[in-house]
């Protein structure tokens, strides 16, 4: 019997065709929400799910009684009830490594663009306001030689730190659940408590996964520890930051600027002040969004679901204890 896979995120045609050779595939790559009746009917028969950016709830799992595995086209797994999946014996897979360098590029893009006011000044030129040589009111901040404080030093955090240390001569501080002696050796990185890092860093860059422990990790108190010349960058998840407190700190000049790729609500609501603030660079969650990397993520997800539904160990399982592999 051909196992059935429901796809709820657009996949490259060639990868879809590859899946269809061995599985029955219901493609909902343009799905807006999980209430779609046709999606629900397919879910009822599904053994595998492939997708991202939609919250998978226990209610959805109840509607998929035959589900064996989920392959997320993402490295973040905050959209999945991992413990519940494990309890139900449903394997969850994600796409680490293939997106590390691209996402780190996005992080450093935000550091540079925010420090040098690139978006604000490009708009200035676009509006035809560049009529004379610029003075101090348009100057940005240096990046080279400054102190970069990494909140989270996993794969993506380490890749950003490498860019800073090796490319821009930056001093690297990091706060992380565990020490990173190899990075301390390689980059001269030094581990700090969060409060200490926030007080010392010229740039604070958040890369921690969103979890109950990191939800609103950066709030009014933490932002208040930062220097008023410091720049805040978030490429993790919006939920890691108290967005109202960030807006207030930016507005009051308690921090200089922010570079944001993620937000509490996405897409960013039309009434959010963030995109209209001169000291904010707001990007639409493009961390891994290049042709090459999104194809590599889809490739990884397709390989994961194929292996998982064939009873083999996927390339990047999240909850291996969901079933013996
Ligand atoms: C994805 C991401 O773009 O991988 C993640 O966790 O946030 C991004 O790389 C998005 O979440 C879905 O593909």
């Amino acid at each position: 019997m051909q196992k059935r896979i429901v796809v709820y995120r657009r996949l490259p045609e060639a990868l879809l065709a590859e899946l269809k050779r061995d599985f029955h595939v219901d493609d909902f790559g343009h799905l807006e929400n999980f209430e779609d009746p046709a999606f629900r009917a397919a879910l009822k028969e599904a053994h595998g799910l492939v997708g991202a950016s939609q919250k998978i709830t226990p209610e959805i799992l109840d509607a998929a009684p035959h589900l064996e595995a989920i392959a997320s086209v993402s490295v973040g797994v905050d959209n999945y009830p991992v413990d519940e999946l494990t309890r139900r014996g449903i394997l969850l897979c994600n796409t680490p490594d293939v997106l590390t360098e691209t996402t780190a590029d996005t992080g450093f893009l935000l550091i540079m663009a925010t420090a040098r006011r690139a978006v604000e000044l490009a708009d200035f030129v676009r509006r035809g306001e560049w009529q004379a040589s610029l003075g101090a009111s348009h100057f940005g901040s240096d990046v080279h030689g400054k102190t970069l404080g990494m909140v989270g030093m996993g794969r993506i955090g380490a890749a950003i730190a490498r860019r800073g240390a090796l490319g821009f001569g930056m001093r690297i501080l990091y706060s992380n659940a565990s020490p990173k002696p190899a990075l301390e050796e390689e980059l001269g990185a030094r581990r700090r408590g969060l409060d200490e890092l926030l007080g010392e860093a010229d740039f604070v860059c958040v890369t921690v996964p969103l979890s109950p422990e990191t939800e609103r990790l950066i709030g009014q108190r933490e932002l208040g520890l930062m220097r008023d010349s410091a720049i805040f960058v978030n490429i993790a998840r919006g939920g890691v930051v108290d967005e109202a407190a960030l807006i207030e700190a930016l507005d009051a000049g308690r921090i200089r600027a922010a570079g944001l790729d993620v937000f509490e609500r996405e897409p960013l609501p039309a009434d959010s002040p963030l995109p209209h603030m001169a000291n904010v660079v707001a990007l639409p969650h493009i961390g891994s969004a290049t042709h090459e990397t999104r194809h590599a993520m889809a490739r990884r997800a397709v390989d994961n679901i194929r292996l998982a539904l064939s009873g083999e160990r996927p390339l990047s399982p999240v909850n291996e204890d969901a079933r013996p592999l």
Side-chain angles (χ1 to χ4, degrees):
M1 175 210 59
Q2 247 190 354
K3 290 196 173 178
R4 302 176 76 98
I5 296 173
V6 169
V7 174
Y8 63 94
R9 168 83 174 223
R10 201 169 309 155
L11 293 179
E13 281 308 317
L15 293 181
L16 263 181
E18 184 186 306
L19 268 186
K20 287 176 179 174
R21 286 202 290 271
D22 300 315
F23 300 93
H24 178 282
V25 177
D26 291 302
D27 181 16
F28 292 89
H30 305 269
L31 188 70
E32 290 303 318
N33 69 66
F34 276 177
E35 295 317 310
D36 176 291
F39 173 77
R40 287 291 179 138
L43 196 59
K44 209 170 169 186
E45 308 301 328
H47 301 94
L49 270 180
V50 178
S53 305
Q54 298 270 358
K55 203 136 189 79
I56 300 292
T57 62
E59 184 271 327
I60 290 286
L61 299 179
D62 290 342
H66 304 296
L67 197 58
E68 297 173 19
I70 301 174
S72 186
V73 189
S74 71
V75 66
V77 291
D78 48 287
N79 275 330
Y80 304 90
V82 180
D83 293 343
E84 180 65 14
L85 290 169
T86 301
R87 192 182 68 76
R88 295 179 186 226
I90 298 171
L91 206 50
L92 174 65
C93 312
N94 66 344
T95 61
D97 303 320
V98 295
L99 52 59
T100 298
E101 295 307 324
T102 296
T103 307
D105 286 349
T106 304
F108 218 84
L109 161 71
L110 281 170
I111 289 172
M112 293 298 295
T114 312
R116 300 300 302 276
R117 304 170 58 180
V119 173
E120 178 194 357
L121 295 175
D123 286 347
F124 172 81
V125 174
R126 194 173 291 135
R127 292 194 302 269
E129 293 178 23
W130 182 23
Q131 302 301 323
S133 296
L134 299 189
S137 65
H138 291 94
F139 291 171
S141 310
D142 275 338
V143 174
H144 63 272
K146 293 291 186 67
T147 297
L148 172 58
M150 297 304 304
V151 180
M153 194 71 142
R155 287 172 282 242
I156 294 172
I160 293 173
R162 270 192 201 93
R163 282 155 176 76
L166 305 181
F168 291 77
M170 297 181 89
R171 173 175 169 249
I172 307 298
L173 305 178
Y174 71 96
S175 77
N176 198 69
S178 56
K180 296 285 182 177
L183 290 169
E184 294 183 6
E185 175 71 26
E186 178 193 355
L187 306 177
R190 291 291 173 266
R191 192 178 184 204
R192 292 283 189 276
L194 179 60
D195 287 6
E196 208 179 349
L197 178 144
L198 292 171
E200 272 190 69
D202 297 302
F203 295 86
V204 173
C205 183
V206 180
T207 68
V208 289
L210 178 60
S211 70
E213 294 73 32
T214 64
E215 189 157 12
R216 295 225 166 166
L217 176 70
I218 306 294
Q220 184 180 37
R221 186 191 75 84
E222 289 73 21
L223 292 163
L225 296 173
M226 289 176 61
R227 300 172 179 172
D228 58 11
S229 61
I231 289 175
F232 181 79
V233 170
N234 186 12
I235 59 158
R237 286 287 188 269
V240 176
V241 181
D242 177 338
E243 199 162 282
L246 176 61
I247 292 169
E248 203 270 330
L250 287 160
D251 216 23
R254 284 205 295 281
I255 59 173
R256 173 160 297 170
L260 308 171
D261 188 43
V262 287
F263 304 88
E264 279 182 351
R265 286 183 294 164
E266 296 182 6
L268 198 57
D271 63 354
S272 170
L274 286 167
H276 310 289
M277 297 171 77
N279 58 346
V280 171
V281 174
L283 296 177
H285 200 149
I286 60 163
S288 62
T290 64
H291 297 291
E292 301 89 343
T293 293
R294 283 298 172 86
H295 189 279
M297 291 166 69
R299 172 77 269 171
R300 173 61 66 88
V302 165
D303 292 341
N304 277 333
I305 202 69
R306 166 192 303 288
L307 289 164
L309 293 184
S310 308
E312 297 177 58
R313 187 182 186 282
L315 299 177
S316 36
V318 171
N319 60 341
E320 292 207 61
D321 44 343
R323 68 169 200 234
L325 288 169

